[in-house]
Amino acid sequence: MDSVTLDRLTQRLASLGYTYDASADIFALTMVYDKVCAHVRHACNILTIPESLEPEIIDAVCGEFLQGLKMTGRLTGIELEGVVKAITEGDTKVEFAAGTASADDVLNSYLTKLATIDPSSIAAHRRLKW
């Protein structure tokens, strides 16, 4: 993984609310990146990753990385609870808390969605094996 990709990954993690720790996270992040790239290369039968797949790969790496942290109990500080239940002012109503899903369920669903690369994106780059 080159420094530009690492920088994009750490910026994406920061946008998701996770502070990247270079000494503690570099090995796991590199392993997840290599795994996701290998999956795409094998699924598409290609040797290099197209630039158009980079955003989806970055999201997939971040999703799997954060899932791993959550499973090991190291994922802390990401707050999903809505602060406001409802605000009504005039004819405008804002409501943050929705449904009966817990914050943990919402986080699990989001991380799963983040870690999944759209199959149609992979299919668009697939090459035939001879």
Side-chain angles (χ1 to χ4, degrees), residues 33-51:
Y33 178 78
D34 291 343
K35 177 187 170 221
V36 169
C37 287
H39 169 74
V40 170
R41 285 194 305 270
H42 292 295
C44 295
N45 191 30
I46 56 178
L47 296 176
T48 59
I49 303 293
E51 278 187 43

Side-chain angles (χ1 to χ4, degrees), residues 38-95:
H39 169 74
V40 170
R41 285 194 305 270
H42 292 295
C44 295
N45 191 30
I46 56 178
L47 296 176
T48 59
I49 303 293
E51 278 187 43
S52 60
L53 281 177
E54 186 181 357
E56 288 201 49
I57 287 175
I58 287 176
D59 274 355
V61 169
C62 291
E64 284 196 34
F65 176 74
L66 292 173
Q67 281 177 337
L69 290 178
K70 185 176 183 301
M71 296 303 291
T72 59
R74 291 184 46 219
L75 183 61
T76 57
I78 295 181
E79 185 64 42
L80 292 177
E81 296 284 340
V83 177
V84 178
K85 172 67 176 158
I87 295 176
T88 304
E89 191 169 315
D91 60 349
T92 304
K93 183 174 183 176
V94 177
E95 191 167 329

